[in-house]
Every structure is written in structure tokens, then in C-alpha cells.
């Protein structure tokens, strides 16, 4: 018995498929790339060697963005991702006309006319990872939702989801922050991310998508993206579409590399990479000295109840609160913490911190709120006044230095406020 091995070394994980002479997969395995692609490949081949004799592997092929990790002297065949994907899917689904692949940092739309017998077309995303698996992972991490819960929560969305820009991860982050500050439900935001990804993929191709359509790659595991892709393609084609996610969606490219290598007959050598060859080495940097910064403000000693005014700044990155005395010239208490995408919870914690420090000695005569989350939080805490950041900053600067202009660099925006004769 001889075997053929296929490796798909992607940007997020490496996948391996071992097939027999009849093209049946006898082993499928994956390894997340953490230290380096070589280390992940070493782990895959090492586990493979525990079940199979590596000398019985006659041919081997590799594809993916990290295919260069296989030394040339091993005589492995190299294939483009699009060719390997098409070959792997057509092996079990010869009727396929369109293949949509979304991976960690890449996405493809492959259009087939008669399998690989006639010219086939492929379009892919640019080098930016916006609209791919990494994009989902980054946004989910920032919001504080695990990838395991992402699809489940997103599928609970009812009604139209807001629109999020997926063409740039920075723009998407800004959109999400503003939606959070407005109190948009988590279900709507997560499904909006799924819709933004599908818009990116569908925009790769003009006109209708030939059917049947198959969806492969790691993101195919996300059922919310599958639903959003169905909706987008149905709108494009003008009738309901139900895309197919094959059982081995994660290993299609590795399977294709194995099949192509088997058919090529190119004899290869498969060995476990040496540890010294598979592990990155790092220089140990000296430890940093801990530096405590202070704005020279010291909390006044509060011995008796006092009347004061509370100001709250709910920003995209951090939430701040200050209590002034009745004259408005002395800071009696202040607190600062990260908003972490949850403005209401952040304000609650800031209030708890202030209450812990001054107890109930402060009688609040008025509350003002500013920042990107001012409307949501202002309504929540019953603020007496809601003002934009420029107005609030200008009013504060008038107390400190009336003639000074203001430069403010925040978490999601920056401003230059120029004043002339007290007018902004």
C-alpha cells in the first residue's frame, strides 16, 4: 500500500490529508500555527508518523501561503491554493460550478465551466485580511465574544442588522464602537459583521453566481456567515439559494494537494522536520522598569458632606468621571477605566469606585455627560446635560487657560480646536 500526502499551510493553521491509491482520505489533521509554520508542519508529520510508515508515502504536495516551508530537496509538488481547492472539491462534487473559500487571511471565488477540463476563473481578495477569518477573530476578541459563541449569538438577530464597513478592519472597529455606544444589541452587531464579510466576498465577482455553489475554508464552520452568504447570493441571483458546505470543508485544499500529487507521480520524501529547523529563536529583551506617572493631583481629605457636580466622559476607549465642588474650581474625586466596548457596565464600575472612595458624602446637584456614548449613558443615569466633546473640552479649557487652543487625541478620533476671542 502506498499513500499520497497533501499539506495546506495557511496563515492561521496547517492542514494535512493522507489518501490511499483510490483517493480515499485515511487521515485528516490540523495544527494551529503559533510559533511558526514549520513548527506546525513538524507537529502534523510527527503525529502522522505515529500511525503510518512515512516511507510508504510515495508522493506529496503542498499548497497555501506557507508552502515554502517544505525544503526543495524533498521533491514535493507545489500547487496554488485555487487549483488545490478546485481539485479537492471536484473529487467528491464534480457538478460544482462555483466555489467560495474564506480562510484565515484569504478568500476566493472560483468559477468552473466543466470542472478543470475547460478554462476556469478565480478572483481573490487583496493582501489585506479584512473580510476573512482573522477579521472575525479580531472583532470577536475586541467585543469579548468567543468564536464558539459568535455564530450562536449572531443567529439570534431579528430584523435588519446595521451596516458595518468590512473593507478595512479599522473602519469596522470604529463602526462597532459607535454601535455599542448607541446600545445596539450584540446579536445585531455580530450578524452585521457576518453580512459585511459576505458583501466583501460577493463583490469579488460581477453578475450571477453559477450554481451549485459550495462553501469551504475555516469560516464555513460559522453558520451565521453561511446564512448571510445565502441571503447575499440569493439577492444577487434573484432567487433563493442554498449553498452547500461539504463535510470536509476545512481539508478541501489539503485533499486537493494530495490528489494532484498522486496524479503527478512525482516521487517525494516525507520526513519529520528537525526541531532546530522548526522552531524560531528569540532574543531575550531586558525587562522594563516600572514607572508610575502622576498628574500631581492628590485627592482632598473629605471630612464632611459637600455639594458638588458630576461630569462623565464616556469615550470609545475609556470612561472617566469627575466630581467638582460647588464652586466648580476644585476636583474632589475622579476615576478612570477602560470602556472595553461596554459603556453602561463601565459607567456602573466608575460609580462604584467613586462611591467606595467618598461614600455618600457628596450630594450631587447636577450631572453632565459627554463622549461618544453620551446619549446612551446620559439617558441611563438621568443626566441634566448632554454635550459633545468639543463643547465640554472648550468649557474646561476656559477655566485653565482661556486663550489656549486644544489638541485632543482619543481612541477613535482626534480634534484640533482653535479659539479666537472665545469663539471656537
Amino acid at each position: 500500500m502506498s499513500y499520497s500526502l497533501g499539506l495546506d499551510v495557511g496563515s492561521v493553521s496547517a492542514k494535512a490529508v493522507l489518501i490511499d491509491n483510490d483517493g480515499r482520505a485515511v487521515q485528516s489533521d490540523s495544527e494551529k500555527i503559533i510559533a511558526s509554520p514549520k513548527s506546525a508542519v513538524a507537529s502534523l508529520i510527527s503525529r502522522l508518523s505515529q500511525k503510518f510508515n512515512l516511507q510508504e508515502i510515495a508522493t506529496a504536495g503542498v499548497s497555501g501561503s506557507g508552502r515554502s516551508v517544505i525544503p526543495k530537496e524533498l521533491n514535493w509538488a507545489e500547487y496554488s491554493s485555487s487549483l488545490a481547492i478546485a481539485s479537492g472539491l471536484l473529487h467528491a462534487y464534480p457538478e460544482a460550478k462555483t466555489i467560495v473559500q474564506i480562510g484565515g487571511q484569504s478568500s476566493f471565488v472560483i468559477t468552473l465551466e466543466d470542472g478543470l477540463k475547460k478554462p476556469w476563473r478565480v478572483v481573490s481578495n487583496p493582501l489585506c485580511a479584512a473580510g476573512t477569518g482573522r477579521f472575525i477573530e479580531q472583532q470577536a476578541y475586541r467585543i469579548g465574544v468567543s468564536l464558539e459563541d459568535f455564530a450562536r449569538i449572531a443567529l439570534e438577530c431579528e430584523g435588519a442588522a446595521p451596516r458595518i464597513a468590512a473593507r478595512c478592519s479599522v473602519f469596522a472597529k470604529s463602526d462597532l464602537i459607535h454601535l455599542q455606544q448607541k446600545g445596539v444589541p450584540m446579536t445585531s452587531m455580530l450578524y452585521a459583521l457576518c453580512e459585511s464579510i459576505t458583501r466583501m466576498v460577493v463583490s469579488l465577482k460581477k453578475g450571477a453566481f453559477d450554481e451549485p455553489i459550495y462553501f469551504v475554508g475555516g469560516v464555513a464552520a460559522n453558520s451565521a456567515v453561511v446564512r448571510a452568504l445565502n441571503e447575499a447570493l440569493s439577492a444577487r441571483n434573484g432567487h433563493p439559494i442554498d449553498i452547500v458546505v461539504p463535510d470536509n470543508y476545512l481539508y478541501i485544499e489539503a485533499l486537493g494537494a494530495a490528489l494532484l500529487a498522486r496524479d503527478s507521480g512525482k516521487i517525494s520524501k516525507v520526513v519529520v522536520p528537525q526541531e532546530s529547523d522548526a522552531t524560531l529563536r528569540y532574543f531575550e529583551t531586558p525587562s522594563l522598569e516600572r514607572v508610575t506617572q502622576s498628574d500631581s493631583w492628590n485627592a482632598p481629605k473629605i471630612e464632611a458632606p459637600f455639594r458638588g457636580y458630576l461630569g462623565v466622559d464616556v469615550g470609545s476607549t475609556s470612561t472617566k468621571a469627575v466630581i467638582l465642588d460647588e464652586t466648580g474650581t476644585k476636583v474632589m474625586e475622579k476615576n478612570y477605566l477602560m470602556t472595553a466596548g461596554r459603556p453602561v457596565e463601565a459607567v456602573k464600575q466608575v460609580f462604584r469606585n467613586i462611591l467606595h472612595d467618598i461614600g455618600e458624602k457628596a450630594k450631587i446637584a447636577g450631572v453632565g455627560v459627554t463622549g461618544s456614548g453620551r446619549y446612551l449613558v446620559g439617558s441611563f443615569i438621568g443626566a441634566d446635560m448632554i454635550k459633545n466633546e468639543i463643547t465640554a473640552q472648550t468649557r474646561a479649557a476656559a477655566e485653565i487657560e482661556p486663550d489656549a487652543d486644544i489638541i485632543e487625541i482619543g481612541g477613535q478620533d482626534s480634534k484640533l480646536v482653535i479659539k479666537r476671542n472665545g469663539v471656537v
Side-chain angles (χ1 to χ4, degrees):
M1 174 67 74
S2 63
Y3 300 98
S4 180
L5 175 64
L7 274 184
D8 166 21
V9 187
S11 58
V12 175
S13 61
K15 284 79 69 177
V17 171
L18 187 70
I19 62 173
D20 59 17
N21 291 331
D22 296 326
R24 290 189 297 263
V26 296
Q27 173 81 359
S28 299
D29 196 6
S30 66
E31 179 76 13
K32 193 173 182 66
I33 296 175
I34 299 176
S36 70
K38 277 190 176 181
S39 181
V41 169
S43 298
L44 285 175
I45 298 179
S46 178
R47 289 200 294 268
L48 186 66
S49 67
Q50 296 171 11
K51 294 184 178 181
F52 299 90
N53 183 354
L54 297 183
Q55 294 181 349
E56 294 182 352
I57 302 177
T59 57
V62 61
S63 68
S65 58
R67 58 181 179 270
S68 61
V69 302
I70 302 299
K72 298 294 184 182
E73 56 267 23
L74 297 182
N75 203 36
W76 285 40
E78 292 188 11
Y79 303 102
S80 67
S81 290
S82 55
L83 176 59
I85 291 168
S87 300
L89 185 78
L90 290 170
H91 178 68
Y93 305 94
E95 73 283 0
K97 294 296 183 182
T98 302
I99 306 172
V100 175
Q101 185 267 0
I102 306 179
Q105 287 194 338
S106 64
S107 57
F108 295 93
V109 175
I110 303 171
T111 304
L112 306 163
E113 185 177 347
D114 184 16
L116 296 178
K117 297 177 183 178
K118 291 187 177 181
W120 46 285
R121 297 178 298 278
V122 57
V123 287
S124 62
N125 68 316
L127 293 177
C128 178
T132 62
R134 276 294 193 200
F135 173 81
I136 292 180
E137 190 175 353
Q138 291 168 356
Q139 304 305 326
Y141 173 78
R142 198 199 64 75
I143 294 175
V145 175
S146 67
L147 290 178
E148 291 75 19
D149 293 333
F150 188 103
R152 176 184 58 80
I153 297 173
L155 287 173
E156 295 174 0
C157 174
E158 297 180 357
R163 198 172 177 88
I164 291 177
R167 199 162 291 278
C168 174
S169 295
V170 177
F171 294 165
K173 178 182 176 183
S174 299
D175 287 347
L176 284 172
I177 286 176
H178 292 310
L179 291 174
Q180 286 175 312
Q181 304 292 52
K182 293 177 181 178
V184 174
M186 182 69 70
T187 56
S188 297
M189 288 190 293
L190 294 186
Y191 194 68
L193 280 172
C194 297
E195 288 185 330
S196 66
I197 289 172
T198 59
R199 282 198 306 272
M200 286 282 291
V201 175
V202 172
S203 69
L204 295 176
K205 181 182 180 300
K206 295 181 179 179
F209 281 60
D210 297 335
E211 303 170 48
I213 304 170
Y214 288 81
F215 184 21
V216 300
V219 179
N222 190 314
S223 52
V225 174
V226 174
R227 189 177 91 176
L229 188 57
N230 270 325
E231 293 173 349
L233 291 176
S234 296
R236 172 66 68 87
N237 283 21
H239 61 268
I241 285 180
D242 189 13
I243 59 175
V244 180
V245 179
D247 292 335
N248 58 345
Y249 62 87
L250 183 63
Y251 300 100
I252 286 292
E253 187 172 341
L255 173 62
L259 291 167
L260 290 166
R262 181 201 63 174
D263 296 341
S264 72
K266 186 177 181 180
I267 304 302
S268 309
K269 184 178 181 180
V270 179
V271 297
V272 180
Q274 298 297 316
E275 276 304 311
S276 60
D277 209 19
T279 305
L280 290 176
R281 295 183 179 181
Y282 300 92
F283 290 103
E284 184 175 351
T285 57
S287 59
L288 299 175
E289 296 182 6
R290 182 177 293 276
V291 177
T292 302
Q293 292 184 327
S294 174
D295 59 3
S296 72
W297 178 81
N298 294 313
K301 187 176 181 180
I302 303 173
E303 298 178 343
F306 69 96
R307 180 183 173 92
Y309 294 90
L310 172 65
V312 182
D313 174 14
V314 188
S316 59
T317 302
S318 59
T319 296
K320 290 78 70 177
V322 170
I323 295 181
L324 301 177
D325 65 2
E326 192 169 14
T327 66
T329 58
K330 185 177 182 181
V331 176
M332 305 298 290
E333 178 62 25
K334 62 181 181 179
N335 197 257
Y336 171 102
L337 53 75
M338 306 308 290
T339 305
R342 291 172 170 79
V344 173
E345 286 74 10
V347 169
K348 286 181 179 180
Q349 188 58 50
V350 164
F351 284 6
R352 291 190 195 100
N353 296 343
I354 291 177
L355 187 62
H356 175 269
D357 292 340
I358 67 174
E360 298 181 357
K361 293 180 180 178
K363 182 178 180 182
I364 303 301
V367 179
V369 179
T370 188
S372 58
R374 59 188 179 274
Y375 294 111
L376 173 65
V377 172
S379 175
F380 175 70
I381 66 176
D384 301 289
M385 184 179 294
I386 298 176
K387 295 291 184 181
N388 61 51
E389 301 97 309
I390 295 176
T391 301
Q393 290 164 354
T394 304
R395 179 66 184 87
E399 293 292 323
I400 301 170
E401 179 56 61
D403 297 328
D405 296 327
I406 304 167
I407 297 175
E408 187 255 353
I409 302 176
Q412 285 292 313
D413 58 19
S414 55
K415 309 179 187 72
L416 169 62
V417 182
I418 299 176
K419 294 182 303 191
R420 293 294 180 265
N421 300 318
V423 177
V424 173

